[in-house]
Amino acid sequence: MQDPHVDPSLDLEEEILRLKKERNAVILAHYYQDSEVQDVADFIGDSLQLAQAAKKTQADVILFCGVHFMAETAKILNPDKVVLLPDLDAGCSLEAGCPPEKFRRWRAQHPDAVAISYINCSAEVKAASDIICTSSNAEKIVASVPKEKKILFAPDKNLGRYVMKKTGRDMLLWQGSCIVHETFSERKLLGIKTRHPDAKIIAHPECEDPLLAMADFIGSTSALLKYATESPANEFIVVTEAGIIHQMEKAAPGKTFIPAPPNANCNCNECPFMRLNTLEKLYVCMRDMSPRLEMPEALRAAAALPIERMLSLS
Ligand code: 13P
Ligand code: SF4
């Protein structure tokens, strides 16, 4: 969706905050949002923290600055609240790469297996799964499954492979990946490391194996932020979506954060879906109370079960 036409004389931050009060709304934002979007949010977090924040909010309206599956999760957990997403086209390559019908057929071929799905999937895939995980609790969720049980893990093959290594559990992996995390170049990362030998390489587990093998630390966005803040090192090469660097620089102003370079000369270390949410769209969304997340109650209730299982284990 194109940016809507908005009166250029408006102070958008001020307007958004005024409307937020008027509507008793809360603004939740993922670390991959533009910094100006992060700066108007009440809460910024990773996928798990955002689901937890959505579950416990007292607000009447949740304005979700993230991608579709995240806002959908907030709606699944809050059927009676209004959940807004500034751009409904803010999808995810992992979600798109796991069509529900194909997923259900895969499941049906392994009736005795436990199906663990990464939260980056549609409500329909969640509804057909036993338990959901995020990048910050995937190891814990996998380890909670009895040893004798076969596990299906979808849709991110890179996170799945990483968790297999960490837990020693064998899993059948859906062959999906994130278009942002698979774009990082091993060769260019080596080049940067050579120029910054003291920098710590920190990477998200959605990255491919050869990049993870070069990392000093691997974790979810919130874990990367915590590591960068608490580590005695002063320089970090950040191998994930570059939006996270905004909070890193705020939390550790004296340190240097270098975004890992993608393969081509592009800004493809920015998620094109996350970046669809602009301040203009946020304002219009809050003003018009649209677009909203809606779904049939039967689907919502079925998708809520595996999410609640995850939340009770987290
Ligand atoms: P986390 O929020 O769990 O770190 O995952 C990152 C991501 O790619 C979200 O789409
Ligand atoms: Fe999906 Fe990757 Fe964007 Fe996260 S960064 S929303 S996994 S496409």
Side-chain angles (χ1 to χ4, degrees):
M1 181 170 89
Q2 290 283 321
D3 258 337
H5 177 71
V6 172
D7 176 355
S9 67
L10 279 181
D11 181 333
L12 290 180
E13 285 89 345
E14 215 174 274
E15 284 300 304
I16 290 167
L17 297 181
R18 180 182 65 76
L19 286 166
K20 191 182 76 167
K21 253 198 197 140
E22 223 171 273
R23 313 263 193 250
N24 187 26
V26 66
I27 303 181
L28 306 182
H30 192 269
Y31 290 121
Y32 294 167
Q33 293 292 285
D34 278 340
S35 45
E36 58 181 14
V37 170
Q38 294 188 31
D39 289 345
V40 293
D42 296 295
F43 181 80
I44 308 157
D46 69 8
S47 305
L48 178 64
Q49 294 169 328
L50 290 168
Q52 288 166 330
K55 189 173 161 71
K56 67 169 194 250
T57 184
Q58 297 296 315
D60 297 319
V61 176
I62 299 172
L63 173 58
F64 208 109
C65 302
V67 289
H68 191 273
F69 75 80
M70 294 178 173
E72 200 171 52
T73 302
K75 182 65 185 175
I76 290 166
L77 294 169
N78 290 285
D80 300 329
K81 293 191 197 299
V82 173
V83 177
L84 303 168
L85 178 64
D87 192 323
L88 285 181
D89 290 336
C92 168
S93 64
L94 282 166
E95 177 182 357
C98 190
E101 196 42 52
K102 227 172 138 188
F103 178 78
R104 284 190 288 263
R105 279 206 300 275
W106 189 51
R107 255 225 92 161
Q109 285 161 11
H110 307 277
D112 51 335
V114 173
I116 302 179
S117 292
Y118 188 31
I119 198 164
N120 299 38
C121 65
S122 64
E124 279 190 79
V125 168
K126 287 186 176 79
S129 305
D130 294 305
I131 186 158
I132 302 305
C133 72
T134 75
S135 65
S136 57
N137 62 17
E139 277 176 61
K140 200 174 182 180
I141 301 288
V142 168
S144 76
V145 176
K147 289 247 176 334
E148 66 283 3
K149 280 278 184 192
K150 183 154 105 184
I151 301 177
L152 301 181
F153 189 92
D156 189 0
K157 62 177 181 186
N158 292 317
L159 176 65
R161 198 183 309 110
Y162 170 71
V163 173
M164 273 168 63
K165 271 195 189 158
K166 294 293 282 187
T167 59
R169 293 293 296 267
D170 198 19
M171 304 196 287
L172 285 175
L173 304 180
W174 186 272
Q175 294 301 301
S177 60
C178 161
I179 49 162
V180 179
H181 288 87
E182 70 180 6
T183 196
F184 295 113
S185 157
E186 197 186 338
R187 187 178 56 79
K188 288 189 180 176
L189 185 57
L190 262 173
I192 292 202
K193 179 69 182 171
T194 312
R195 293 194 295 283
H196 300 268
D198 297 332
K200 297 282 181 206
I201 297 180
I202 58 176
H204 194 279
E206 285 178 14
C207 292
E208 288 175 335
D209 212 26
L211 284 136
L212 293 182
M214 292 170 70
D216 296 291
F217 181 77
I218 300 167
S220 69
T221 45
S222 60
L224 297 180
L225 176 60
K226 187 168 185 285
Y227 177 85
T229 312
E230 293 174 358
S231 159
N234 278 317
E235 243 184 341
F236 301 86
I237 305 168
V238 183
V239 198
T240 190
E241 216 277 6
I244 182 80
I245 292 179
H246 183 53
Q247 294 306 321
M248 289 176 172
E249 285 173 341
K250 276 189 164 179
K255 297 186 179 181
T256 304
F257 300 99
I258 307 162
N263 226 332
N265 287 328
C266 58
N267 59 350
C268 13
N269 57 0
E270 290 182 0
C271 174
F273 306 110
M274 288 277 183
R275 306 298 179 125
L276 284 175
N277 296 324
T278 60
L279 222 47
E280 283 78 9
K281 287 181 198 167
L282 243 81
Y283 162 69
V284 170
C285 181
M286 193 75 108
R287 184 192 66 193
D288 301 349
M289 295 283 279
S290 167
R292 295 182 187 203
L293 263 290
E294 308 283 3
M295 78 192 76
E297 174 52 25
L299 171 62
R300 189 208 65 78
L305 285 174
I307 300 176
E308 293 287 3
R309 274 186 206 121
M310 168 188 82
L311 292 175
S312 65
L313 275 171
S314 300

